[in-house]
């Protein structure tokens, strides 16, 4: 059974008179443990697709099964719970809380997981920071970290709830190529250790690091070999 | 962990904008402090008046000649009244009233008191032998005059401490003869240090038999009548009896005013509560303004933290979590403001009270719970709209916001 399975996903945005078809019938599947990339030019609908797969947005039509169960018709509260338990996000702009140190930032998803004691949360977060190589930056705030380190904190945060899948939207977009390469190696390592990764990028070279590529063009997705 | 973490984050958000937080709380601080100070002042005045009259005894009945406005209970100056109250009235009340314990006419005037070369201005207070049953006075040396001495208007005097000190110094004054204007009086008693009692400086008083005082001032007209009821519950009956007797003796005319502790307290209570309503209204408005200030700053905070809200939603916070977080922050602002307000009012109250020892302005302890509760309520009421706005922000919209 596929971890992710979509059938004819459509997404339209209406802006006054005009209707934008951001996704036109996307059907794809992702297996557990895969490292796939979604590639396509700017405005093609990559982020839109990722947001729907990450339950941050709802499709206009079509079906979405996560772990074999329909998730496109869940309530707000159920969607929040799925995001919390099963999905990790890494964004281009890091999205860290500026006043909190690395440890607190990584612990954030656990705050919304009922029944986790702060000691367990702290230990888990420390483990994740170690996993991304930031064991000596636990008590630094984002403005005391380099861009690459910030993105590592964000990756540790995505891993903290031991999710089924991690979505990364242009995770190297704000980094220079050398730092970006380090982040990509980290994703590679995580993939090797069994994490399912969906990486969104417009850069073919980066996309080439994944074992499978899905090309999105004008809202239509196709497998690329 | 959620509550603890949310509290910590709210606190750190408030601390990150210290001056903004302080300014936002100012409105509420002033409001809460104003309300508490009002309550304290009301309390202080009530306690002050209570003390003043409690020492007289709650059964005290004061009768003054002249009709007064029914609502105010304060008689007009005696000179304006045509009514004559005489010792005959006292005799009549004594004979016919069954609810009173003691009754005395009082005569008040100033006189020069002298002894050898020393002279002293004092207030002469004429009353009968029952007067000590009406107002408690501490006779330190000697005694008080008898019924017989009052009946015959003997020239005997019980003198206040200040009078004794100024005329005799450390000498024992009982038995000595003093001059009261042109008359010669024998000192039979000396009062202990007392201070003021209902506006009378007891220490500068000389108490003489009623008839002696009337003769001294060459009049048959009493300043007023003082009486006590047998029990607290018979005060009203006693007042009715005395009123009937006086009315009958005055050709059915109601030309006198009766003051009792209960009536006096009621009219003071009346004034106090009116004051409390007016000033309380003003204070409530200031609390309202404080609340609006909190709402305003919470809206600003929500707008500033759209990205944070989006991130929290993305990692699993529900709308309810977001509402809770911002509501908690508003409540923390308002409760903190309330606490500072309580502290401020207490500080001012303590300061004033330690300056004016007779006037207790320290806030009553029970004020803490309602002050806390009101602050909390204001935080909730004025925090709920910004919190709902925060929760309405869609995670995507917030994540794109930068
Ligand atoms: N909230 C929205 N309202 C209206 N149109 C939108 C909205 N979000 C996305 N779109 C439109 O949908 C299309 C796909 O946008 P999307 O962000 O998915 O592109 P993308 O492939 O991620 O591009 P990029 O590589 O520049 O990030 C675009 O034409 C965009 O203008
Ligand atoms: Mg995009």
């Amino acid at each position: 059974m596929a971890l992710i399975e979509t059938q004819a996903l459509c997404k339209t945005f209406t802006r006054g008179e005009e209707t934008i078809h951001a996704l036109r019938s996307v059907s794809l599947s992702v297996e557990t443990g895969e490292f796939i990339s979604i590639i396509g030019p700017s405005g093609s609908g990559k982020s839109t697709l990722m947001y729907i797969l990450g339950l941050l947005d709802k499709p206009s039509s079509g079906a979405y099964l996560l772990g074999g169960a329909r998730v496109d018709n869940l309530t707000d509260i159920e969607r929040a719970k799925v995001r919390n338990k099963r999905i990790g996000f890494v964004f281009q702009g890091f999205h860290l809380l500026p006043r909190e140190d690395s440890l607190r930032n990584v612990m954030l998803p656990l705050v919304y997981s009922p029944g986790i004691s702060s000691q367990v949360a702290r230990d888990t977060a420390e483990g994740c920071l170690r996993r991304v190589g930031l064991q000596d930056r636990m008590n630094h705030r984002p403005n005391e970290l380099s861009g690459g380190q910030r993105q590592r904190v964000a990756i540790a945060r995505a891993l903290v709830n031991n999710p089924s899948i991690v979505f990364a939207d242009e995770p190297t977009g704000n980094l220079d190529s050398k730092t970006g390469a380090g982040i990509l190696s980290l994703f590679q390592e995580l993939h090797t250790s069994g994490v399912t990764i969906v990486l969104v990028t417009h850069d073919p070279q980066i996309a080439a690091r994944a074992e499978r590529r899905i090309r999105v063009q004008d809202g239509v997705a196709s497998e690329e070999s | 962990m959620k509550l603890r973490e949310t509290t910590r984050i709210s606190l750190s958000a408030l601390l990150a904008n210290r001056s903004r937080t302080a300014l936002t709380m100012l409105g509420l601080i002033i409001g809460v402090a104003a309300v508490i100070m009002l309550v304290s002042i009301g309390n202080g005045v009530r306690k002050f008046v209570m003390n003043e009259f409690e020492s007289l005894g709650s059964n005290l009945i004061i009768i003054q000649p002249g009709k007064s406005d029914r609502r105010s209970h304060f008689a007009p100056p005696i000179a304006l009244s045509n009514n004559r109250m005489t010792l005959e009235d006292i005799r009549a009340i004594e004979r016919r009233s069954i609810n009173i314990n003691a009754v005395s006419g009082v005569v008040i005037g100033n006189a020069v008191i002298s002894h050898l070369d020393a002279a002293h201005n004092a207030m002469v207070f004429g009353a009968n032998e029952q007067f000590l049953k009406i107002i408690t006075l501490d006779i330190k040396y000697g005694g008080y005059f008898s019924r017989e001495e009052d009946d015959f208007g003997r020239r005997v005097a019980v003198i206040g401490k200040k009078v004794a000190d100024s005329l005799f110094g450390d000498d024992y004054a009982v038995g000595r003869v003093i001059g009261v204007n042109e008359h010669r009086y024998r000192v039979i008693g000396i009062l202990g240090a007392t201070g003021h009692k209902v506006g009378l400086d007891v220490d500068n008083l000389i108490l003489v038999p009623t008839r002696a005082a009337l003769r001294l001032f060459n009049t048959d007209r009493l300043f007023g009548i003082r009486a006590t009821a047998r029990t607290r519950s018979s005060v009203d009956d006693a007042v009715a009896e005395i009123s009937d007797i006086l009315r009958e003796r005055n050709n059915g005319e109601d030309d006198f005013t009766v003051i009792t502790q209960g009536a006096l307290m009621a009219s003071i209570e009346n004034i106090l509560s009116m004051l409390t309503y007016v000033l309380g209204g003003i204070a409530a408005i200031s609390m309202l303004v404080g609340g609006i200030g909190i709402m305003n700053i919470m809206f600003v905070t929500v707008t500033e933290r759209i990205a944070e809200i989006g991130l929290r939603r993305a990692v699993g916070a529900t709308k309810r979590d977001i509402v809770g977080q911002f509501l908690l922050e508003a409540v923390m602002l308002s409760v903190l403001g309330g606490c500072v307000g309580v502290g401020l009012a207490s500080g001012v109250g303590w300061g004033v009270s330690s300056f004016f020892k007779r006037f207790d302005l320290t806030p009553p302890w029970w004020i803490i719970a309602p002050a806390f509760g009101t602050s909390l309520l204001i935080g909730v009421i004025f925090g709920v709209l910004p919190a709902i706005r925060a929760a309405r922000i869609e995670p995507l919209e917030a994540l794109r916001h930068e």
Side-chain angles (χ1 to χ4, degrees):
Chain A
M1 181 186 65
L3 174 62
I4 281 179
E5 174 113 42
T6 73
Q7 288 149 12
L9 278 186
C10 291
K11 181 70 181 178
T12 53
F13 295 105
T14 32
R15 270 248 173 109
E17 297 284 280
E18 102 188 280
T19 313
I20 300 161
H21 294 274
L23 294 179
R24 309 164 197 258
S25 189
V26 172
S27 301
L28 57 81
S29 67
V30 179
E31 299 295 328
T32 302
E34 269 192 308
F35 181 8
I36 74 161
S37 61
I38 297 176
I39 186 170
S42 185
S44 54
K46 307 182 294 290
S47 294
T48 304
L49 177 59
M50 191 202 90
Y51 291 146
I52 290 172
L53 296 181
L55 293 181
L56 284 169
D57 207 352
K58 283 181 177 176
S60 307
S61 67
Y64 174 18
L65 289 84
L66 180 64
R70 285 287 290 265
V71 290
D72 49 89
N73 48 9
L74 296 180
T75 65
D76 264 8
I77 292 174
E78 289 166 334
R79 283 144 56 85
K81 198 170 164 190
V82 174
R83 286 200 298 269
N84 182 248
K85 293 259 173 276
R86 306 180 60 185
I87 295 171
F89 290 104
V90 178
F91 302 101
Q92 179 174 352
F94 320 135
H95 284 290
L96 301 175
L97 299 181
R99 278 194 302 273
E100 306 289 328
D101 63 14
S102 308
L103 195 64
R104 297 276 186 194
N105 265 293
V106 175
M107 280 166 69
L108 188 66
L110 299 177
V111 169
Y112 301 104
S113 311
I116 291 186
S117 76
S118 33
Q119 193 50 52
V120 171
R122 186 175 290 269
D123 292 347
T124 314
E126 276 181 19
C128 291
L129 278 167
R130 223 168 262 128
R131 208 165 157 192
V132 300
L134 285 183
Q135 53 279 358
D136 53 352
R137 292 287 186 277
M138 303 241 187
N139 298 312
H140 287 59
R141 291 182 180 187
N143 62 3
E144 297 161 346
L145 298 172
S146 72
Q149 287 169 333
R150 288 182 206 185
Q151 196 60 298
R152 282 169 193 270
V153 174
I155 293 168
R157 181 181 63 200
L159 296 172
V160 80
N161 251 342
N162 197 20
S164 318
I165 186 162
V166 171
F167 292 101
D169 192 357
E170 307 272 12
T172 59
N174 283 9
L175 304 173
D176 61 56
S177 53
K178 195 167 153 244
T179 318
I183 295 295
L184 287 175
S185 309
L186 177 58
F187 276 115
Q188 205 94 53
E189 276 170 42
L190 293 174
H191 165 57
T192 316
S193 69
V195 180
T196 313
I197 296 167
V198 173
L199 189 143
V200 174
T201 181
H202 64 271
D203 184 341
Q205 267 182 309
I206 293 169
R209 305 284 290 263
E211 11 173 72
R212 230 179 100 204
R213 287 176 299 284
I214 292 169
R215 172 164 289 278
V216 180
Q217 193 93 43
D218 281 333
V220 180
S222 56
E223 199 85 17
E224 199 172 74
S225 47
Chain B
M1 163 153 124
K2 196 193 285 178
L3 185 68
R4 220 178 77 187
E5 214 26 38
T6 315
T7 310
R8 195 187 60 76
I9 284 164
S10 295
L11 205 63
S12 87
L14 292 179
L15 285 176
N17 285 306
R18 249 166 270 234
S19 54
R20 186 165 96 182
T21 304
L23 284 174
T24 307
M25 292 190 311
L26 199 59
L28 202 68
I29 292 174
I30 293 172
V32 170
V35 171
I36 292 178
M37 277 194 295
L38 271 175
V39 172
S40 306
I41 289 171
N43 242 35
V45 169
R46 205 166 289 140
K47 241 190 250 171
F48 178 74
V49 175
M50 282 274 202
N51 273 344
E52 204 75 343
F53 282 85
E54 209 88 295
S55 63
L56 296 179
S58 55
N59 305 346
L60 180 70
I61 300 166
I62 296 172
I63 302 125
Q64 291 298 125
K67 204 177 158 95
S68 76
D69 177 354
R70 250 176 202 289
R71 274 176 305 170
S72 81
H73 296 285
F74 292 110
I78 184 169
L80 293 181
S81 166
N82 307 320
N83 188 5
R84 295 171 156 276
M85 277 183 181
T86 63
L87 285 175
E88 290 308 306
D89 293 318
I90 306 294
R91 290 275 174 262
I93 292 169
E94 238 175 5
R95 242 188 349 261
R96 290 168 52 187
S97 174
I98 53 167
N99 283 303
I100 63 161
N101 186 32
V103 60
S104 170
V106 295
V107 179
I108 295 177
N110 283 303
V112 179
I113 319 296
S114 56
H115 174 72
L116 303 178
D117 294 336
H120 185 85
N121 267 308
M123 179 172 275
V124 174
F125 194 93
N128 68 10
E129 83 290 344
Q130 298 175 35
F131 193 65
L132 289 190
K133 287 195 215 161
I134 300 170
I135 288 177
T136 326
L137 289 174
D138 160 40
I139 296 177
K140 197 150 185 209
Y141 305 107
Y144 196 68
F145 38 84
S146 64
R147 174 150 198 134
E148 195 211 339
E149 282 169 319
D150 183 66
D151 278 347
F152 290 101
R154 294 269 155 76
R155 293 200 288 265
V156 290
V158 175
I159 63 178
K161 174 144 188 359
K162 225 188 277 175
V163 182
D165 285 350
S166 112
L167 295 182
F168 298 100
D170 292 335
D171 292 349
Y172 189 64
V174 176
R176 310 286 278 272
V177 173
I178 54 172
V180 179
N181 286 351
E182 288 81 42
H183 302 262
R184 283 157 62 83
Y185 277 69
R186 191 160 49 82
V187 176
I188 59 165
I190 297 166
L191 298 173
T194 308
H196 285 258
K197 252 184 179 180
V198 262
L200 284 179
D201 181 4
V202 175
D203 292 340
N204 200 32
L205 213 61
I206 96 164
L207 276 158
V208 301
T210 333
R211 260 179 228 282
L214 288 173
R215 206 181 310 128
L216 188 68
F217 298 119
N218 196 20
T219 178
D220 61 350
R221 224 166 129 169
L222 296 173
F223 172 78
I225 298 171
R226 304 288 180 266
T228 46
R230 279 191 197 288
T231 62
R232 203 179 188 122
S233 54
S234 62
V235 170
D236 288 344
D237 291 336
V239 167
E241 272 176 358
I242 294 171
S243 300
D244 283 345
I245 295 165
L246 289 179
R247 201 177 298 117
E248 190 189 304
R249 294 181 54 79
N250 197 28
N251 306 322
E253 242 187 282
D254 231 354
D255 196 15
F256 56 87
T257 302
V258 181
I259 305 165
T260 59
Q261 190 197 351
L264 209 61
M265 288 310 293
S267 67
I268 286 167
E269 202 64 39
N270 215 9
I271 295 168
L272 279 181
S273 65
M274 218 156 70
L275 206 77
T276 308
Y277 283 135
V278 173
L279 297 181
I282 296 170
I285 289 171
S286 119
M287 278 170 113
L288 201 73
V289 172
I292 291 169
I294 288 175
M295 181 156 77
N296 183 43
I297 225 66
M298 287 313 295
F299 274 131
V300 172
T301 304
V302 169
T303 313
E304 281 175 352
R305 282 154 66 185
I306 287 182
E308 177 193 323
I309 295 166
L311 176 73
R312 287 178 186 277
R313 293 291 305 279
V315 300
T318 60
K319 286 184 178 183
R320 192 187 283 189
D321 290 331
I322 300 295
V323 167
Q325 181 188 339
F326 284 92
L327 211 50
L328 186 77
E329 208 168 305
V331 165
M332 268 163 115
L333 257 178
S334 67
V335 168
L336 216 64
C339 290
V340 175
V342 172
L344 189 71
S346 309
V348 171
W350 276 64
V352 171
S353 305
S354 61
F355 262 107
F356 306 98
K357 292 252 159 34
R358 273 148 56 85
F359 205 33
D360 181 14
L361 276 193
T362 47
W365 60 269
W366 55 259
I367 199 78
I368 290 170
F372 192 81
T374 312
S375 310
L376 194 115
L377 203 67
I378 282 181
V380 171
I381 289 171
F382 290 94
V384 80
L385 237 54
I388 286 174
R389 175 180 287 187
R392 287 238 175 95
I393 295 169
E394 285 303 320
L396 258 193
E397 166 192 343
L399 287 171
R400 285 178 195 271
H401 179 98
E402 212 142 345

